[in-house]
Amino acid sequence: MRAPRMTEAELAKRGAHLAQQLGRDDPLWPGQLAALVAIALYFLLPSKLKLGPGWPLPTAEIVAFLSLAFVTRRRGRAMVRRLTAIGILLIAIVANMVALGLLVHYLLKGGKASGANLIDGGILIWLTNLLLFTVVYWQLDRGGPLGPIIEGDRVWPDFLFPEMNEDGKYTPHDWKPNFVDYLYVSLTNQSAFSPTDTLPLTLRTKVLMGIQGTAALVTVGIIVARAVNILG
């Protein structure tokens, strides 16, 4: 026997209840600070690992982020701010991946870049990826740090945290992830090259975590290989 279909009002009420349970209301400054630090690290990369002048891209991204920091938290502007922030982060990730590609090129093909520059560049790329992916996860999960954009929007989690167990024996009933939780997810994924205790639930986070883990594996491999070559 089929269950009776829910009316639109009942669906809206259920969606609002779900949004209240899963939605977040985090302070914005941790993510903004992490993103600014990650973008600023791009300035420190060796010139050999940058395409063209090294200052225009990170400067534009920092200016954009500073402008976003002064946007009000009104819901009408939340969608624009969130999409713009995610777009800036993705551009920064692509720029960092280009730097990783140049790092691989200099390791395999040789060149005038010194071994110390390559190791320093690899460490900076690793740290930048850690922060950038942290902020992306923080922005995507459960509708973002400010919760659903439209009142009553259905919100689904992108990650299955250990605290989201069914019995709730070791977690407060109103537990919600914050910035530190996403930093931990990013750190463990980048260190183990795969998810650990927190699992991705959506296609977008699976793709992002796969890219991050692969990039971390390549970066660490380059750093280790270059260090062994120097010591040898």
Side-chain angles (χ1 to χ4, degrees), residues 173-208:
H173 73 281
D174 58 348
W175 179 89
K176 294 177 182 179
N178 56 38
F179 183 81
V180 176
D181 293 294
Y182 298 105
L183 177 61
Y184 177 77
V185 170
S186 183
L187 176 62
T188 53
N189 184 56
Q190 192 154 299
S191 302
F193 315 126
S194 64
T196 54
D197 61 348
T198 301
L199 302 177
L201 296 177
T202 59
L203 177 61
R204 63 187 183 185
T205 49
K206 290 177 183 178
V207 170
L208 287 170

Side-chain angles (χ1 to χ4, degrees), residues 100 103-104 107 118-119 121-127 129 187 189-193 212-228:
L100 178 57
L103 188 65
V104 173
L107 178 67
L118 292 182
I119 292 177
I123 293 173
L124 288 173
I125 290 171
W126 194 92
L127 291 173
N129 265 346
L187 176 62
N189 184 56
Q190 192 154 299
S191 302
F193 315 126
Q212 182 188 17
T214 303
L217 178 61
V218 172
T219 307
V220 171
I222 290 174
I223 293 173
V224 172
R226 196 65 185 182
V228 169

Side-chain angles (χ1 to χ4, degrees), residues 21-64:
Q21 281 186 315
L22 297 178
R24 295 156 43 214
D25 190 12
D26 301 353
L28 297 178
W29 69 264
Q32 292 171 339
L33 178 61
L36 285 173
V37 171
I39 294 171
L41 287 176
Y42 192 83
F43 284 108
L44 302 179
L45 279 175
S47 58
K48 293 290 185 180
L49 302 183
K50 302 174 186 176
L51 288 176
W55 61 268
L57 176 61
T59 300
E61 291 172 340
I62 288 176
V63 170

Side-chain angles (χ1 to χ4, degrees), residues 25-168:
D25 190 12
D26 301 353
L28 297 178
W29 69 264
Q32 292 171 339
L33 178 61
L36 285 173
V37 171
I39 294 171
L41 287 176
Y42 192 83
F43 284 108
L44 302 179
L45 279 175
S47 58
K48 293 290 185 180
L49 302 183
K50 302 174 186 176
L51 288 176
W55 61 268
L57 176 61
T59 300
E61 291 172 340
I62 288 176
V63 170
F65 249 97
L66 288 176
S67 64
L68 288 175
F70 293 98
V71 176
T72 64
R73 290 178 55 141
R74 288 188 298 174
R75 292 294 179 181
R77 298 183 181 178
M79 174 68 81
V80 175
R81 181 185 55 239
R82 182 167 175 250
L83 292 179
T84 304
I86 292 174
I88 294 171
L89 291 167
L90 292 178
I91 292 172
I93 287 175
V94 170
N96 208 43
M97 292 301 170
V98 170
L100 178 57
L102 292 174
L103 188 65
V104 173
H105 167 75
Y106 278 106
L107 178 67
L108 297 180
K109 301 295 183 180
K112 297 181 180 180
S114 67
N117 279 344
L118 292 182
I119 292 177
D120 293 344
I123 293 173
L124 288 173
I125 290 171
W126 194 92
L127 291 173
T128 303
N129 265 346
L130 171 67
L131 294 175
L132 289 176
F133 279 95
T134 295
V135 183
V136 169
Y137 299 151
W138 174 75
Q139 280 282 358
L140 290 178
D141 190 34
R142 303 181 181 218
L146 299 182
I149 301 301
I150 302 174
E151 191 69 28
D153 266 4
R154 179 169 294 185
V155 178
W156 296 107
D158 287 271
F159 295 97
L160 181 62
F161 289 92
E163 291 85 353
M164 294 164 59
N165 58 78
E166 293 183 0
D167 53 21

